[in-house]
Amino acid sequence: MAKEARSYVLMLIGTFILGISFNAFLLPAKLAAGGVVGISTILYELYQWNPTIVQLSINIPLFFVGYALLGKNFSVKTLMGTVMLPLFIAATAHIPFKVHDPMLASIYGGILTGVGLGLVFRGNGSTGGTTIIGQLLKKYFHFSSGFAQLLIDAAVVIAAMFVFNLELALYAMIAIFITSKVIDLVQLRTSSSKLVLIITDQEEEVRRLIHQEINRGFTKIWSEGGYSKQQKALLFSVVEQSEAVYLKELLQTQGTDSFVIFLNASDIMGRGFSLPKDYMRGE
């Protein structure tokens, strides 16, 4: 029950942020950054049609079409996102701050939109709209989800190029790109932790450094050199950024002849990260 309530709270916060992003950045700067929101921006410029009415008029029929054709992929959360986003856009329509500069709007509007959509997705929800068309294209034309959504967003941006101008369409593409990256950050909760891969034939020395010097666990598997055909230990461990710097210094000063790779790690679950490092073991 608590998990479900958290999902709805994330969706409410996410759609509220999307409403602010639309009214503070995208609409004032005339950036049609894909989707039904982009379509409503174009129609507002052409005919002064209310974005809330436009989005509800498109989203609700699309929801029922999707429900009829895709059934199991739709839920109360999809309907909630479909309705709540236009309502929050209406509620935030008269906010006192608006950014008209397209560069600033593409950057900060893209960031806010990415945060909002990322929270909605983390709540296992959807804002409906053209994502439903994307799922229909995936089902009936066997496109990938990403490619189908790219086609739809591209069509909206091309339309914006004729309604506004080429520069504003290009700024809209910047906003779409930033949004996609921020969605990944919000969903994966990227941290400063590092995944360390160490290939070594001095296993005991490296084990001692990891275990005693930085107090981290590790996993070992055996590897074989592609050229030398020699068997070596492959140790990998996840460490905090400061620990990674210290481990790198230790490996260099201790003179271990190891091949070491440091990679960014995100959304880490387990002891020492999402759970306490030390815990009482059962008898």
Side-chain angles (χ1 to χ4, degrees):
M1 182 65 71
K3 184 177 180 180
E4 194 69 10
R6 177 177 176 273
S7 295
Y8 284 111
V9 170
L10 287 174
M11 287 193 63
L12 283 172
I13 296 173
T15 49
F16 177 69
I17 292 173
L18 288 171
I20 293 176
S21 175
F22 178 78
N23 285 307
F25 298 101
L26 301 182
L27 185 63
K30 302 180 181 180
L31 299 183
V36 173
V37 170
I39 294 172
S40 68
T41 302
I42 293 172
L43 294 177
Y44 180 79
E45 175 68 15
L46 289 174
Y47 308 110
Q48 294 296 300
W49 288 357
N50 187 304
T52 299
I53 302 301
V54 170
Q55 291 180 40
L56 286 174
S57 299
I58 297 174
N59 282 344
I60 292 178
L62 277 177
F63 172 82
F64 288 108
V65 169
Y67 186 83
L69 297 178
L70 300 171
K72 64 181 181 180
N73 293 326
F74 290 82
S75 65
V76 173
K77 289 181 181 178
T78 304
L79 180 60
M80 176 181 171
T82 297
V83 174
M84 290 305 300
L85 176 56
L87 293 182
F88 276 129
I89 284 177
T92 58
H94 301 292
I95 55 177
F97 53 90
K98 295 181 185 293
V99 175
H100 297 274
D101 181 85
M103 176 57 79
L104 291 175
S106 65
I107 294 172
Y108 292 100
I111 291 172
L112 270 186
T113 301
V115 170
L117 285 174
L119 291 175
V120 171
F121 294 157
R122 283 188 63 183
N124 297 316
S126 167
T127 55
T130 56
T131 59
I132 298 173
I133 299 176
Q135 291 182 35
L136 291 172
L137 290 175
K138 178 182 178 181
K139 179 176 180 179
Y140 292 104
F141 295 94
H142 308 292
F143 294 155
S144 69
S145 298
F147 183 66
Q149 193 62 46
L150 177 63
L151 287 178
I152 297 165
D153 288 340
V156 174
V157 171
I158 290 171
M161 182 175 66
F162 291 100
V163 173
F164 302 115
N165 56 55
L166 177 60
E167 286 188 3
L168 288 176
L170 293 176
Y171 281 122
M173 291 175 64
I174 293 175
I176 292 171
F177 176 78
I178 293 174
T179 294
S180 67
K181 296 303 179 183
V182 175
I183 288 173
D184 290 340
L185 289 175
V186 173
Q187 288 191 289
L188 293 175
R189 292 178 292 182
T190 300
S191 70
S192 60
S193 300
K194 303 293 181 182
L195 170 63
V196 188
L197 303 177
I198 306 172
I199 302 173
T200 182
D201 53 9
Q202 297 173 281
E203 178 191 345
E204 290 302 321
E205 178 64 16
V206 176
R207 285 165 61 106
R208 183 188 67 79
L209 294 177
I210 296 174
H211 182 65
Q212 296 182 12
E213 296 293 336
I214 62 173
N215 191 25
R216 285 292 180 185
F218 58 88
T219 299
K220 180 185 81 172
I221 59 177
W222 287 106
S223 63
E224 180 181 290
Y227 177 76
S228 67
K229 305 299 182 184
Q230 293 180 354
Q231 293 284 327
K232 292 188 177 183
L234 169 57
L235 310 178
F236 58 94
S237 178
V238 178
V239 300
E240 298 289 357
Q241 182 165 314
S242 58
E243 295 169 339
V245 173
Y246 183 45
L247 179 60
K248 180 180 179 180
E249 181 181 343
L250 287 173
L251 291 170
Q252 290 174 332
T253 56
Q254 296 294 326
T256 59
D257 186 17
S258 304
F259 186 81
V260 186
I261 305 171
F262 292 88
L263 302 173
N264 291 325
S266 62
D267 210 7
I268 304 162
M269 302 172 62
R271 294 289 171 189
F273 294 93
S274 62
L275 298 172
K277 182 185 294 186
D278 301 315
Y279 61 100
M280 297 298 295
R281 298 182 181 274
E283 297 296 334

